[in-house]
Amino acid sequence: MRLIHRRAVLASPLALAAAPPAFNSLALNQRARKRGLFFGTAVNHETITNDRHYLDRIDAESGIVVGEAQFKWADIHPEPDRYDFTRADALMAFAARHKLRVRGHTLVWHEAIPDWLRPALTPDTAEAILRGHIRAVTRHFAGRMVHWDVANEVIQPDDKQPLDLRATPWLNALGPAYLDIAFAEAATCDPAALRVLNEFGTDYPLPWQERKRAALLKLLADLTSRQVPVQAVGLQAHLDAAEPIDQKILSKFVTDIAAMGLKIIVTELDVRDQRLPGSIEVRDIAIAAHAKAWLDPVLACPAVLGVLTWGLSDRHSWLNDTFPRDDKLDQRPLPLDAALERKPLWQAIAAALDAAPVR
Ligand code: G3I
């Protein structure tokens, strides 16, 4: 079995480009740092509390972590006048113990919101609620948070709203100005944390993604021209190994973002294998080659600051709940397998980081 796996890896274009590093070779964040980049991962609360071995690997491979849910409204602001920082603070304590930096995700989103919020948002109340939340949360972590995803997933051209914004309770109550308010409040309350607009679905030459890329560029041009204090774009990079990649489109997209003076972070990288055959060897090779093909043109852009994966090990991924495979096999979207061993995807990310120009 092991021999077959090795032969398959060696036969792949990826393996020809970069021989798999030995197990104890440089960790991903060490490789990233050599290029002036960072590497990190999302961590959920269950891992923080229950999985010491997984945490050891996160500590070994990462320089930065982000809460998979711990900083969202649903976790942190369960009632109008009550904040609960318990889970978020547990992540901050883990990060402080291991000298990991932390990025915050997210201050404004239409998902993971507590039950009280949606009915409470009216044109008269929404601005004070939004400012109050951002003030309380950013001040709680001020000085300890290196980035904030101030706004998450705000583009949806199909909703036919101004600026191709998504129809959310925030847009409904405040119009597009909700973004101005959110970025301004974050800038006032924690000016040192990089302010990020985080988006998904901008990775492929698919018509709906072409529309999203165009809409995102148009929105960024609008915000920057009006001095709304957005500083960076988060590309989630929830990739799908069955899609074709167009590297020219990706290069142009990141170049266009950078030309507006904005930084770029790859914020939630993982590779879905729902439409691939069941064979682990086949999937791992396809996933690795896919990630490398996506990362190469993106990391070539000097505006890119770093890469985070949405989890480090296949022990836990949102993809198994949200996009289950027909054969019920677990997906293999992350750099380490469920036994916490490095996989071809780890090798692909390592090779992409090694190939990135020095910042
Ligand atoms: O809060 C309960 C907790 O009390 C309980 O113990 C636990 C048991 O399963 O469930 C907890 O809530 C879950 C939460 O994650 C924390 O684990 C929610 O049911 C679940 O819906 C939630 O899912 C997260 C989702 O965002 C919504 O917040 C996923 O883990 C997380 O991977 C996903 O992340 C999003 C990014 O924020 C934005 N980009 C897409 C990405 C994937 O959907």
Side-chain angles (χ1 to χ4, degrees):
M1 188 66 172
R2 205 163 178 77
L3 190 62
I4 292 168
H5 174 70
R6 186 160 172 72
R7 235 189 246 136
V9 169
L10 287 174
S12 77
L14 173 76
L16 292 176
F23 175 77
N24 63 355
S25 66
L26 280 187
L28 293 176
N29 189 54
Q30 291 173 288
R31 289 166 187 275
R33 285 187 57 174
K34 283 175 173 259
R35 297 291 180 268
L37 295 161
F38 54 74
F39 175 83
T41 186
V43 193
N44 65 25
H45 188 63
E46 289 67 34
T47 302
I48 295 281
T49 44
N50 296 327
D51 199 340
R52 179 63 205 275
H53 296 301
Y54 190 0
L55 289 181
D56 287 346
R57 299 313 307 270
I58 289 171
D59 178 36
E61 298 282 358
S62 311
I64 185 167
V65 289
V66 58
E68 192 175 341
Q70 298 93 315
F71 302 117
K72 293 173 182 170
W73 279 73
D75 260 51
I76 238 171
H77 198 167
E79 294 170 41
D81 298 320
R82 185 168 73 85
Y83 289 86
D84 180 355
F85 293 108
T86 316
R87 287 188 265 211
D89 284 345
L91 173 56
M92 300 307 285
F94 162 71
R97 274 198 303 278
H98 296 279
K99 299 190 169 43
L100 300 169
R101 297 191 297 160
V102 186
R103 65 186 316 273
H105 170 83
T106 172
L107 296 171
V108 185
W109 194 23
H110 57 286
E111 289 184 31
I113 51 178
D115 291 344
W116 66 268
L117 184 59
R118 197 177 289 262
L121 295 178
T122 71
D124 291 336
T125 61
E127 180 170 349
I129 291 174
L130 182 57
R131 285 191 189 276
H133 176 86
I134 292 176
R135 192 178 311 128
V137 174
T138 55
R139 287 193 176 159
H140 181 84
F141 299 108
R144 298 182 291 157
M145 200 64 94
V146 292
H147 318 145
W148 268 110
D149 285 342
V150 174
N152 191 39
E153 304 178 358
V154 302
I155 304 277
Q156 178 46 280
D158 294 347
D159 286 353
K160 308 280 180 229
Q161 298 296 312
L163 285 164
D164 283 327
L165 290 172
R166 183 185 293 277
T168 69
W170 298 111
L171 187 74
N172 195 31
L174 295 169
Y178 85 88
L179 290 173
D180 303 28
I181 294 166
F183 278 98
E185 192 65 35
T188 301
C189 298
D190 186 4
L194 190 81
R195 293 174 294 279
V196 183
L197 185 82
N198 196 42
E199 192 53 81
F200 76 99
T202 59
D203 311 298
Y204 297 114
L206 300 167
W208 70 271
Q209 298 212 355
E210 186 55 53
R211 287 197 291 279
K212 279 196 85 169
R213 281 191 293 274
L216 180 56
L217 292 172
K218 193 176 54 178
L219 175 65
L220 294 170
D222 174 73
L223 295 175
T224 53
S225 72
R226 294 187 298 102
Q227 276 82 50
V228 175
V230 55
Q231 296 172 305
V233 173
L235 302 179
Q236 292 189 5
H238 290 295
L239 304 181
D240 181 340
E243 289 295 337
I245 285 182
D246 186 324
Q247 294 187 321
K248 279 197 186 132
I249 288 179
L250 283 169
S251 289
K252 178 162 177 8
F253 181 51
V254 290
T255 303
D256 287 349
I257 294 172
M260 289 185 245
L262 298 167
K263 300 296 185 192
I264 298 168
I265 303 167
V266 179
T267 49
E268 305 185 14
L269 175 67
D270 53 21
V271 188
R272 174 180 321 174
D273 63 47
Q274 198 190 12
R275 293 187 281 158
L276 297 186
S279 153
I280 285 177
E281 288 78 9
V282 168
R283 280 193 279 159
D284 280 359
I285 289 168
I287 287 166
H290 191 84
K292 179 85 165 43
W294 189 92
L295 283 169
D296 281 344
V298 172
L299 295 188
C301 176
V304 173
L305 300 177
V307 178
L308 291 95
T309 49
W310 205 238
L312 189 66
S313 151
D314 295 340
R315 273 186 188 191
H316 162 80
S317 167
W318 69 290
L319 290 166
N320 290 321
D321 299 328
T322 310
F323 299 104
R325 289 176 56 92
D326 287 344
D327 58 15
K328 307 280 186 266
L329 292 173
D330 280 345
Q331 299 213 35
R332 299 178 61 81
L334 294 166
L336 306 184
D337 68 14
L340 303 174
E341 298 292 339
R342 291 169 173 174
K343 288 162 48 191
L345 177 57
W346 184 96
Q347 295 160 13
I349 297 172
L353 291 169
D354 290 349
V358 176
R359 271 66 182 153

